[in-house]
Amino acid sequence: IRQERRESIKEVGDLKGLDALRVELLGKKGPITQALRGMKDLPAEERPQFGQFANHVRDELQSAIEAKRDELKQAVLNKRLQEEKIDVTLPGKPVAQGQPHVIQQIVDQIEDLFIGMGYQVLSGPEVEEDKYNFEMMNLPKDHPARDMQDTFYITKEILMRTQTSPMQARTLEKHDFSQGPLKMISPGVVYRRDTDDPTHSHQFHQVEGIVIDKHITMADLKGTLQLVAHELFGDRFDIRLRPSYFPFTEPSVEADITCFNCGGKGCAVCKYTGWIEVLGAGMVHPNVLKIAGVDPEVYGGFAFGLGPDRFAMLKYGVDDIRNFYLNDVRFLTQFSKKG
Ligand code: FA5
């Protein structure tokens, strides 16, 4: 019987079966318990020997069951490990990756270009003081040119900046010219109470630029702008300066770029002129320098404010600026850096 039972323990295939067998063999109704109970019918001198033997068999079966339980548990674990094995050589699942917004891509390109020419890149507050946005830019409270940029006012003195030009005033005020010339660009978002249309948005981007030193001329301005056009659009694109007016520059210009659509020949996109306006610029007005505490008799230079939204429209042939702000991923993913 002993041998037979040991065989049956060996043959059990799972933990449930083993438990059932344990109850069957060692439980109250099992043969060992029964045998021990029957001991009282034996002659007194046989009882100790019989008891000893029965206990011995019980212990033996108990340890056989325990050994089998360990073995089964190990087998379950091994099976799980086998099933959960990861094949690290299999190709991974592709993870969808985001990308910078197309306007940000243009701004990044502009930043890289100017950093390469030794400019510092600064960012300024979008909620700005009237003082920096207008007054220090040679636009006192009663100046008619304030109407050129319809403004979102927060209080009488605080507004959403209408241009990145206040960063000219902020840096001029702080710059220590004994340490060298000022060369700075400042990209950011600006706000105007413009009615949205295909080429105007009430919220758009600008990149301000300013260079102040002792011998800066308009030729430096034109050369710099030409480089920007060539870098962003390619060598076949040219830039042309037209006389214009800004209260903070004298003389002032607006810069046009060869129309991407007709290559300068003239079409509906450029209203048959062959050129598209992309930025305002000029030689920094002596009043702007004076107000910021810089001597205009000694220092002078140029400044510009370009519109990356218009650059992006030109570069990619987008005919409505509002597309950049609708957050339609089908539109935005077209400008993937990889593609
Ligand atoms: C200015 O804002 C001046 N601060 C630029 C400047 C800086 C001149 C330094 C001289 C010296 P303007 O309002 O023209 O200028 O805007 C500059 C550029 O911003 C425009 O050429 C155009 O590219 C872009 N822009 C202007 N208004 C909008 C608009 N509503 N939506 C999209 N882009 C615009």
Side-chain angles (χ1 to χ4, degrees):
I1 288 175
R2 194 169 145 206
Q3 191 56 35
E4 211 174 279
R5 297 305 192 188
R6 278 184 24 193
E7 284 303 318
S8 64
I9 292 173
K10 266 192 205 158
E11 279 161 21
V12 178
D14 57 30
L15 286 164
K16 224 167 131 190
L18 186 69
D19 208 45
L21 192 60
R22 181 183 60 79
V23 173
E24 188 191 320
L25 294 180
L26 305 175
K28 279 185 194 139
K29 290 182 187 149
I32 308 234
T33 316
Q34 293 299 331
L36 286 168
R37 264 195 205 137
M39 242 170 42
K40 62 182 183 320
D41 302 330
L42 289 176
E45 65 279 11
E46 284 181 23
R47 281 184 205 161
Q49 214 187 346
F50 183 84
Q52 231 176 15
F53 179 68
N55 282 335
H56 174 69
V57 173
R58 189 192 57 203
D59 292 349
E60 212 180 66
L61 291 177
Q62 190 119 35
S63 31
I65 288 171
E66 263 154 38
K68 184 70 186 180
R69 182 179 291 130
D70 288 347
E71 188 186 309
L72 287 174
K73 272 190 180 163
Q74 189 60 42
V76 170
L77 186 67
N78 285 347
K79 191 163 166 254
R80 237 178 72 194
L81 287 174
Q82 188 67 28
E83 280 167 4
E84 288 175 9
K85 201 167 79 175
I86 294 170
D87 184 351
V88 290
T89 64
L90 285 176
K93 287 187 193 142
V95 180
Q97 259 188 323
Q99 65 184 56
H101 190 280
V102 55
I103 308 257
Q104 188 59 45
Q105 290 181 33
I106 300 261
V107 172
D108 287 346
Q109 248 181 304
I110 295 170
E111 280 187 22
D112 284 350
L113 175 67
F114 281 96
I115 288 170
M117 295 192 287
Y119 286 60
Q120 54 178 327
V121 181
L122 299 178
S123 56
E126 290 175 20
V127 179
E128 182 57 283
E129 294 174 43
D130 184 279
K131 173 179 128 183
Y132 288 109
N133 196 80
F134 289 130
E135 273 174 59
M136 288 187 74
M137 298 314 291
N138 200 26
L139 274 147
K141 289 246 161 35
D142 55 355
H143 199 292
R146 282 197 178 212
D147 293 347
M148 283 166 76
Q149 299 175 3
D150 234 340
T151 312
F152 289 113
Y153 279 96
I154 292 173
T155 67
K156 225 168 132 246
E157 298 300 330
I158 310 280
L159 43 79
M160 300 308 290
R161 65 175 175 190
T162 57
Q163 49 184 357
T164 42
S165 298
M167 281 306 285
Q168 288 189 36
R170 284 181 176 274
T171 41
L172 275 170
E173 195 177 57
K174 284 208 194 97
H175 189 73
D176 177 1
F177 282 92
S178 70
Q179 301 299 307
L182 169 63
K183 290 169 85 180
M184 182 279 297
I185 61 162
S186 183
V189 179
V190 304
Y191 303 83
R192 288 186 199 176
R193 289 191 326 142
D194 277 349
T195 308
D196 290 2
D197 70 21
T199 51
H200 291 85
S201 171
H202 61 281
Q203 170 199 314
F204 58 99
H205 294 72
Q206 284 192 341
V207 179
E208 195 75 13
I210 183 168
V211 173
I212 302 288
D213 200 358
K214 285 184 178 156
H215 306 287
I216 305 290
T217 71
M218 202 133 179
D220 297 316
L221 171 63
K222 182 159 189 193
T224 306
L225 296 178
Q226 219 148 23
L227 197 73
V228 176
H230 289 170
E231 182 71 17
L232 262 80
F233 300 105
D235 284 344
R236 67 203 169 87
F237 288 88
D238 207 356
I239 203 149
R240 134 184 127 162
L241 302 185
R242 259 184 307 106
S244 183
Y245 171 74
F246 295 104
F248 31 89
T249 43
E250 183 59 37
S252 300
V253 293
E254 274 177 322
D256 301 333
I257 275 185
T258 322
C259 175
F260 73 92
N261 202 40
C262 57
K265 291 191 183 71
C267 67
V269 174
C270 57
K271 302 195 183 84
Y272 299 96
T273 60
W275 300 92
I276 293 177
E277 184 226 307
V278 287
L279 61 88
M283 302 310 287
V284 176
H285 198 293
N287 281 353
V288 172
L289 297 172
K290 231 185 282 172
I291 298 170
V294 180
D295 185 355
E297 297 296 328
V298 182
Y299 293 102
F302 65 76
F304 59 82
L306 58 83
D309 302 64
R310 297 264 173 90
F311 274 50
M313 289 175 80
L314 269 176
K315 184 162 176 154
Y316 296 111
V318 174
D319 58 10
D320 195 325
I321 196 170
R322 290 169 289 196
N323 285 322
F324 295 129
Y325 297 101
L326 293 176
N327 285 339
D328 183 339
V329 268
R330 291 169 304 177
F331 171 79
L332 294 172
T333 48
Q334 294 178 91
F335 310 101
S336 154
K337 270 182 167 171
K338 282 167 268 149

